Amino acid sequence: MKKHRPALKLTLVFVAILSVFAGCKKDKNDNANNALIGKYKLVNFTSKSGEVVTPVYDQLHECTRDQTIELTADELIAITFTKEMCEGTEPATGAWYLNENKLTIIAGGIQLNEYKIIKNEGSELVLELTVPDGDKSVINTVTFARL
């Protein structure tokens, strides 16, 4: 019976190590999720095609510039307007999830967009969305200020 104890100890050590790594990954993801939770206002929007960067924010209608998004702890998203809604639109809700540095937005059970998180520090959240455009890609960068 004593011959099997080293193997049992080794198995228990292996299980303990796996548990620690699994726990760390979950904590890391939870921390990243917690860092995103909050309410944000759109403050900048640029679009880059090739080497040309076009400022888009000032071209947006005031009601679009007035949007806020709220990411909640239960991974829900609400898009609202603080002053006036754009004609033909209404506040929207959906879900969000984080995978590595990618923020995915889902509405109506359909994945809408997957944004790369460029920066999430202090009061600034910068997201990047790459959109295919023929044989090239357009990179849209949106900047939000935390409210």
Side-chain angles (χ1 to χ4, degrees), residues 2 4-5 8 20-21 24 31 38 50 60 67 88 98 107 131 133:
K2 287 187 179 185
H4 294 99
R5 283 191 179 173
L8 180 60
V20 168
F21 283 119
C24 289
N31 289 340
L60 298 174
Q67 288 184 56
L98 185 64
V131 181
D133 184 23

Side-chain angles (χ1 to χ4, degrees), residues 71 74-78 93-97 104-108:
L71 303 173
D74 51 356
E75 296 185 339
L76 296 177
I77 184 171
T93 59
W96 66 276
Y97 69 89
T104 301
I105 308 295
I106 300 168

Side-chain angles (χ1 to χ4, degrees), residues 26-45:
K26 184 178 188 304
D27 290 344
K28 182 179 178 184
N29 198 36
D30 286 348
N31 289 340
N33 278 7
N34 289 339
L36 283 172
I37 294 168
K39 193 168 188 175
Y40 302 88
K41 181 176 184 344
L42 179 66
V43 294
N44 198 14
F45 183 164

Side-chain angles (χ1 to χ4, degrees), residues 26 31 58-59 69 76 132 142:
K26 184 178 188 304
N31 289 340
D58 290 336
Q59 298 173 23
I69 63 168
L76 296 177
V142 290

Side-chain angles (χ1 to χ4, degrees), residues 77-92:
I77 184 171
I79 301 169
T80 58
F81 303 89
T82 56
K83 294 180 185 172
E84 65 174 289
M85 285 191 289
C86 294
E87 187 175 325
T89 64
E90 57 187 59

